[in-house]
Amino acid sequence: MVALAQTPPSADRLRAIDDFLAQAWADQVRHDDRLRDLAVEVRFDRGVAHLSGDVAEPAQLRLVRDLVGQLAGVYGVWCRVGIGGRAPVVVDLGCGPTKQWSSNLGLDIYPAPGVNAVADLSGSLPLADNSVDVLFAVHILEHLIDFLPLVDECHRVLRPGGVLHVMSPWWGHVNAVADPTHVRLMDVQTFKGICQLRPPGTPRWYPLHAGCDGASIFADLTPLPPDADPAPQTHLARFFD
């Protein structure tokens, strides 16, 4: 038996959730000495935390990401935080005319305003190994019959500690089937499979965060090197059955 989630939160409730999250984060910063002097701004939009600013080292960004992601009501943690004064390289996959941030590098199969390079996302990405800090795959995986080659390409181009942000329609919502160009149904558990059920020798991922708001699913994944330990069950249990 499959239990479907409730209908997505209303716009009014999402605004209230964002206000709650902003207050909860401000309170956490006031009481956590590790956060007080970090120049990271956290903004909440419909349950998604948007991080910007600059930190001295990757461990500080990971700390902020982890603590923000532990707040009840956060669906995803999207970031464009610089490290050591270096601005992050952020790529928007399948962006169309609208990028998540205007400064992102936009890739799409069709030319459009905001598309910086035309690329077939079902093939190899025109990006060098270990060259990207953040990848956005917003409403793109559901359009690909086989999205695993793209996920593997994302693993190749991300720097150590980089993040792949995914957003797709949840399979139980009408949006998943309303668009005739959607060819895949997606669930939070799909990312359990990506992180744990791939054959030996394929790229491995660590789930930083995963969630569902009843209409969309979100996942923040970071690449693991071949010899790294897998995510502990106590961490996976936050997101996956």
Side-chain angles (χ1 to χ4, degrees):
M1 179 177 180
V2 177
L4 298 184
Q6 296 180 349
T7 56
S10 66
D12 288 341
R13 186 180 178 200
L14 284 170
R15 283 192 289 269
I17 290 173
D18 288 342
D19 290 342
F20 161 77
L21 290 171
Q23 294 170 13
W25 180 249
D27 186 61
Q28 186 153 343
V29 170
R30 281 195 300 270
H31 292 89
D32 192 328
D33 291 338
R34 298 172 298 174
L35 299 173
R36 197 167 298 146
D37 296 327
L38 295 184
V40 177
E41 179 184 349
V42 181
R43 178 180 61 86
F44 297 95
D45 182 12
R46 301 175 65 86
V48 176
H50 296 261
L51 278 55
S52 59
D54 195 273
V55 295
E57 55 188 32
Q60 293 175 323
L61 174 56
R62 182 63 177 267
L63 172 68
V64 175
R65 279 198 52 94
D66 288 347
L67 293 179
V68 170
Q70 291 174 16
L71 297 177
V74 171
Y75 299 127
V77 185
W78 293 1
C79 58
R80 57 167 181 175
V81 176
I83 298 176
R86 181 182 65 80
V89 176
V90 186
V91 177
D92 231 314
L93 301 174
C95 63
T98 305
K99 292 186 281 195
Q100 301 307 309
W101 285 300
S102 59
S103 59
N104 293 358
L105 173 67
L107 301 183
D108 203 297
I109 193 170
Y110 299 114
V115 174
N116 301 101
V118 174
D120 182 356
L121 300 183
S122 64
S124 60
L125 295 176
L127 300 166
D129 295 359
N130 304 317
S131 63
V132 177
D133 297 287
V134 177
L135 285 165
F136 281 99
V138 176
H139 292 299
I140 180 63
L141 297 189
E142 66 273 15
H143 293 274
L144 300 176
I145 294 175
D146 182 3
F147 59 73
L148 289 176
L150 175 59
V151 172
D152 290 348
E153 275 290 280
C154 291
H155 192 286
R156 177 183 66 79
V157 305
L158 280 172
R159 292 189 172 109
V163 181
L164 168 63
H165 297 305
V166 178
M167 178 181 177
S168 288
W170 178 57
W171 72 270
H173 192 270
V174 67
N175 287 347
V177 294
D179 186 338
T181 67
H182 290 174
V183 295
R184 294 297 298 266
L185 296 177
M186 306 283 291
D187 186 79
V188 171
Q189 302 303 314
T190 305
F191 298 99
K192 178 182 180 181
I194 289 173
C195 295
Q196 290 194 289
L197 302 180
R198 299 291 305 281
T202 53
R204 301 168 61 230
W205 295 89
Y206 183 101
L208 295 170
H209 199 80
C212 177
D213 65 3
S216 301
I217 58 168
F218 304 85
D220 301 330
L221 309 178
T222 190
L224 281 175
D227 57 349
D229 293 332
Q233 289 300 317
T234 50
H235 177 72
L236 297 174
R238 296 175 54 205
F239 315 124
F240 308 129
D241 294 336

